């Protein structure tokens, strides 16, 4: 250490990189919690409320975490459960007669349309054989064995292709 620095500066030089790394990890965790919350609630405000409540639960129950390396998954589960609770509470707040069913139906249709467009774009980005495989499996409901028999390939090949494609689609969706 440098002898010209005060003791406080010397300690800050030692501790600062650790805090920066920890701050980055916490920010990354917060961002992933927001993504989870947004997928479970209807608006940004509720998502932020869910994440805030999840942080409170995490901090109060941190001793129940058995494995420290599973913190991310644990936090995401808590966030998803909190968001679902917020959804249930918001449904209970309004009696059925007080809701505007037209607005909710319009919201659902708009959201469904957006999701369908994203799915269509993802399917169009796949090659025709892989697209057909996914359509047979998930749209038409054929079993792996039926697809393998029709395409005259081993069932393991069908399962592997489906698995690889689902993994690739998940990666594309996360960007």
């Amino acid at each position: 250490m440098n002898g010209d620095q005060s003791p406080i500066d010397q300690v800050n030089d030692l501790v600062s990189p650790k805090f920066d790394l920890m701050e980055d990890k916490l920010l990354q965790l917060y961002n992933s919690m927001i993504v989870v919350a947004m997928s479970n609630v209807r608006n940004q405000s509720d998502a932020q409320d869910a994440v805030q409540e999840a942080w409170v639960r995490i901090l109060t129950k941190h001793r129940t975490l058995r494995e420290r390396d599973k913190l991310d998954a644990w936090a995401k589960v808590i966030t998803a459960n909190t968001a679902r609770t917020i959804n249930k509470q918001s449904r209970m707040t309004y009696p059925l007669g007080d809701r505007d069913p037209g607005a909710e139906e319009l919201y659902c249709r708009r959201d469904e349309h957006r999701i369908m467009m994203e799915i269509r774009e993802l399917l169009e980005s796949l090659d025709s054989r892989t697209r057909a495989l996914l359509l047979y499996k998930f749209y038409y409901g054929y079993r792996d064995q039926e697809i393998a028999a029709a395409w005259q390939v081993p069932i393991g090949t069908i399962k592997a292709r489906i698995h690889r494609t689902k993994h690739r689609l998940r990666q594309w969706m996360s960007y």
Side-chain angles (χ1 to χ4, degrees):
M1 285 195 237
N2 191 349
D4 297 340
Q5 288 182 321
S6 72
I8 293 174
D9 291 336
Q10 291 174 358
V11 170
N12 284 341
D13 287 345
L14 290 173
V15 175
S16 183
K18 292 178 185 176
F19 280 131
D20 290 342
L21 180 62
M22 193 166 58
E23 185 179 340
D24 290 342
K25 286 183 180 180
L26 287 174
L27 183 61
Q28 186 179 14
L29 179 61
Y30 175 80
N31 289 334
S32 64
M33 289 169 68
I34 282 287
V35 169
V36 169
M38 283 298 293
S39 67
N40 285 292
V41 295
R42 295 182 180 210
N43 59 45
Q44 180 91 20
S45 174
D46 285 346
Q48 289 172 340
D49 289 346
V51 169
Q52 195 171 35
E53 179 64 29
W55 274 109
V56 170
R57 289 182 185 177
I58 288 168
L59 292 173
T60 57
K61 304 284 186 180
H62 72 279
R63 287 183 179 84
T64 62
L65 178 62
R66 294 184 201 122
E67 299 176 36
R68 293 181 72 71
D69 59 327
K70 304 240 172 142
L71 174 65
D72 289 351
W74 186 63
K76 289 177 183 179
V77 169
I78 290 173
T79 304
N81 290 339
T82 305
R84 287 187 200 112
T85 301
I86 287 175
N87 270 344
K88 288 178 187 174
Q89 289 172 347
S90 68
R91 276 188 235 131
M92 286 187 239
T93 309
Y94 306 106
L96 288 176
D98 293 348
R99 286 191 186 189
D100 180 13
E104 188 171 329
E105 184 179 326
L106 180 63
Y107 175 83
C108 290
R109 263 191 269 141
R110 198 175 321 137
D111 196 39
E112 183 178 320
H113 178 71
R114 182 184 55 81
I115 291 169
M116 292 303 290
M117 293 299 291
E118 288 178 15
I119 290 172
R120 190 173 132 234
E121 289 173 10
L122 284 171
L123 284 174
E124 286 175 354
S125 66
L126 297 171
D127 63 289
S128 60
R129 183 181 70 177
T130 306
R131 185 179 326 119
L133 176 64
L134 289 183
L135 288 173
Y136 285 135
K137 173 73 176 171
F138 298 107
Y139 187 74
Y140 298 116
Y142 287 101
R143 291 178 295 162
D144 295 343
Q145 184 67 40
E146 295 171 329
I147 298 169
W151 288 13
Q152 298 176 351
V153 295
I155 190 169
T157 303
I158 297 298
K159 289 181 178 185
R161 287 179 185 169
I162 290 171
H163 176 75
R164 281 192 304 264
T165 304
K166 285 171 55 177
H167 181 71
R168 189 178 339 140
L169 289 174
R170 276 190 206 104
Q171 287 178 331
W172 288 349
M173 289 171 53
S174 67
Y175 290 119

